[in-house]
Amino acid sequence: MSIHPGRQDESTEFPPDWADDERMSFLFSAFKENREVNTADWDSKIDFWTPLVISSCRRRGAVCVNLNELNQIFRRKNHVPLGLGTVVQAMARCGKVQKESEFAANVDSGWLSWGVGLLLEKAAELLGAYRRSPLASRTLLSFPELRVLCSHVCQDETTLCLALLQLQREKQVTVSLHEGEKIVKFSQPGQGCVSPVSDVDLGIYQLQRSEKLLGERVEELGLEAERCRDEAKALLREGKKSQALRCLRGRKRVEKRADGLYAQLETIKGILDRIAHSQTDRLVMQAYQAGVAALRVSLKDVTVERAESLVDQIQELCDSQDEVNQTLAGATLDSSGVDTEELEEELKSLLDESATDGQPGLPQVPSEPLPSGGASSALSDSFLDSLPPVPHSPFGITDEELDRELSRLTIADPGVSQRGRISKRPETAQ
């Protein structure tokens, strides 16, 4: 991993022991020549410095480390740790770091002399940055293009090389040389590993490169034509007509050359579009082939005869269910043995009795319509005659009937004399 010198806030970068002068004096001292002399002191220093080195690397996003840089990073009060060399050796023995030569030897690559180092992380970040970028549709990228693309991930070229080397080890990237130029091919989503660079890949890369160069050249010629036009206008204002004509002739030549390059650029774009469509068609064909294979497997046991048999069985079951429903709908659950007609007659008689057992004395509803006039004087005689007489007693009983009833009501208690009989006539109800 690479660590770049620089200071950060010590309260967040270093552990609390960093403020303890006595403790740090011990940790900054050199290791004993032999661990067996004082095992506790030796292990205490290793346990302090190892996680501190790793966390410092990750915090800086670097993937390389060397002893001089570590000494500068951990400088404290103008003192540097004297035992970091021993710490790095111990980390290498336990596999926390690896020598550059050992790491490079594990990768089959022809560009190792380009410069590689020890990798801690960055490979996954680099792959993610490529797949999220507009260049993800490109099969091959030049190294300068990739350098610009991942500048926010890999701070320098060494870090980028290490990340590519790790991805190459994971078979997610292949790096090769084409006409003296380093080109990079990434694995595509869904691929287990990157495929080798093919002639088709190289052809598309050449077309894309030509498209870019022609586009830049057409843009330059356009700017040059504008400069010729502006220069001609300035010469005309100065009265230099012949020189202005030469500038206009130069502008025409430039525009003609630009038109020719633009036509070539359009041709290349058309070829790239056809290639893109062919790749899309290939994907569609592959999808169709997979769909046909899946349908063939899923319909392996399905035949027309079996389908007809199933339909017949379903229809038979539906008919049986309809018959059951009709049977249940027509069934009666009467177990009393009583004739239905008798029950109907009894019900009718009850209705008749209910009609005749209304409140006594109520008049019947007149059948004749009311007169259209609203005043009482306008009521016809026939209508008034049809009304029942107004009762004089709320109970429909006369005074004489009440007297006779009261005369029969006497107190028959033997302890009461004849004179104690109630003879007072009650008042008639008003």
Side-chain angles (χ1 to χ4, degrees):
M1 54 188 174
S2 174
I3 298 181
H4 305 283
R7 303 297 297 174
Q8 294 184 354
D9 184 6
E10 293 186 357
S11 62
T12 59
E13 183 176 3
F14 300 111
D17 290 347
W18 199 263
D20 189 341
D21 291 340
E22 182 178 355
R23 171 68 172 163
M24 295 312 299
S25 177
F26 161 72
L27 293 172
F28 268 56
S29 63
F31 283 82
K32 301 295 183 181
E33 293 184 1
N34 192 341
R35 177 176 177 273
E36 303 301 328
V37 174
N38 193 331
T39 303
D41 288 354
W42 182 290
D43 293 343
S44 177
K45 291 180 180 179
I46 293 294
D47 293 340
F48 175 82
W49 287 111
T50 297
L52 188 59
V53 169
I54 295 175
S55 63
S56 178
C57 294
R58 291 182 175 175
R59 187 163 43 248
R60 288 166 176 78
V63 295
C64 265
V65 66
N66 62 58
L67 188 58
N68 291 332
E69 290 176 347
L70 288 177
N71 284 330
Q72 293 302 319
I73 290 171
F74 299 126
R75 177 180 289 274
R76 181 181 183 273
K77 296 183 177 181
N78 294 325
H79 295 284
V80 298
L82 300 179
L84 285 182
T86 305
V87 173
V88 173
Q89 292 175 1
M91 293 175 66
R93 285 195 298 269
C94 64
K96 289 185 169 63
V97 296
Q98 190 178 14
K99 290 183 179 180
E100 175 183 337
S101 57
E102 295 175 355
F103 180 79
N106 293 327
V107 182
D108 182 14
S109 174
W111 52 279
L112 292 179
S113 59
W114 183 19
V116 295
L118 186 64
L119 178 68
L120 176 65
E121 54 188 21
K122 292 297 181 186
E125 296 180 24
L126 175 59
L127 182 60
Y130 160 74
R131 289 181 174 175
R132 292 189 299 268
S133 72
L135 298 180
S137 59
R138 298 265 303 273
T139 305
L140 297 178
L141 297 180
S142 67
F143 185 77
E145 289 175 330
L146 185 60
R147 180 73 185 93
V148 174
L149 175 64
C150 65
S151 59
H152 64 290
V153 175
C154 301
Q155 294 81 358
D156 53 35
E157 186 173 318
T158 301
T159 304
L160 175 59
C161 294
L162 294 173
L164 288 174
L165 188 62
Q166 177 62 24
L167 289 174
Q168 189 169 355
R169 170 187 285 183
E170 298 171 358
K171 300 187 183 304
Q172 297 298 315
V173 158
T174 179
V175 181
S176 59
L177 291 174
H178 176 66
E179 297 181 356
E181 182 183 20
K182 298 180 182 67
I183 55 176
V184 182
K185 182 178 181 181
F186 287 87
S187 64
Q188 298 301 313
Q191 290 182 338
C193 60
V194 63
S195 59
V197 178
S198 64
D199 293 338
V200 175
D201 295 333
L202 292 175
I204 295 175
Y205 174 75
Q206 277 300 125
L207 288 171
Q208 291 171 340
R209 183 181 178 186
S210 299
E211 179 188 18
K212 180 180 178 182
L213 293 176
L214 285 175
E216 293 174 352
R217 184 55 179 159
V218 169
E219 185 176 357
E220 292 174 359
L221 290 175
L223 295 176
E224 185 178 350
E226 287 297 322
R227 285 195 298 268
C228 291
R229 181 176 178 276
D230 294 340
E231 187 177 353
K233 290 173 61 177
L235 290 171
L236 281 176
R237 285 194 296 268
E238 296 175 2
K240 301 176 181 179
K241 184 178 180 180
S242 60
Q243 295 180 12
L245 287 174
R246 283 196 298 269
C247 288
L248 291 179
R249 290 191 187 97
R251 179 193 174 197
K252 292 296 183 182
R253 288 192 298 268
V254 171
E255 289 179 345
K256 184 177 181 180
R257 189 160 60 250
D259 290 341
L261 293 179
Y262 185 78
Q264 297 174 9
L265 178 61
E266 288 299 310
T267 301
I268 291 177
K269 288 183 176 180
I271 296 174
L272 289 173
D273 287 341
R274 287 179 177 273
I275 293 174
H277 287 312
S278 66
Q279 291 177 342
T280 303
D281 293 341
R282 178 173 53 84
L283 293 176
V284 173
M285 290 298 296
Q286 291 176 353
Y288 284 169
Q289 291 174 356
V292 169
L295 283 173
R296 183 176 291 110
V297 173
S298 62
L299 297 175
K300 182 178 180 180
D301 297 330
V302 177
T303 61
V304 176
E305 292 76 10
R306 292 190 62 188
E308 292 178 349
S309 175
L310 289 175
V311 170
D312 292 340
Q313 294 179 30
I314 293 172
Q315 186 62 46
E316 183 180 351
L317 291 175
C318 291
D319 294 341
S320 299
Q321 185 179 11
D322 292 340
E323 293 177 0
V324 171
N325 291 336
Q326 292 176 3
T327 302
L328 293 176
T332 57
L333 301 178
D334 187 8
S335 60
S336 61
V338 180
D339 189 2
T340 304
E341 295 181 358
E342 294 180 1
L343 293 177
E344 293 290 342
E345 292 294 334
E346 185 176 357
L347 179 61
K348 183 178 180 181
S349 63
L350 289 176
L351 291 175
D352 294 339
E353 292 178 4
S354 299
T356 57
D357 289 343
Q359 294 183 358
L362 293 179
Q364 296 182 353
V365 179
S367 58
E368 297 183 3
L370 293 175
S372 59
S376 59
S377 60
L379 297 176
S380 62
D381 295 338
S382 60
F383 173 71
L384 294 176
D385 293 340
S386 65
L387 296 177
V390 178
H392 298 286
S393 172
F395 303 104
I397 303 175
T398 62
D399 294 343
E400 290 77 8
E401 291 176 346
L402 288 175
D403 288 337
R404 287 193 298 271
E405 184 69 22
L406 289 175
S407 63
R408 291 193 297 269
L409 297 175
T410 58
I411 300 176
D413 190 348
V416 181
S417 62
Q418 184 68 26
R419 286 175 295 184
R421 293 181 179 177
I422 298 176
S423 62
K424 184 178 178 179
R425 178 183 177 182
E427 298 180 358
T428 58
Q430 300 295 326

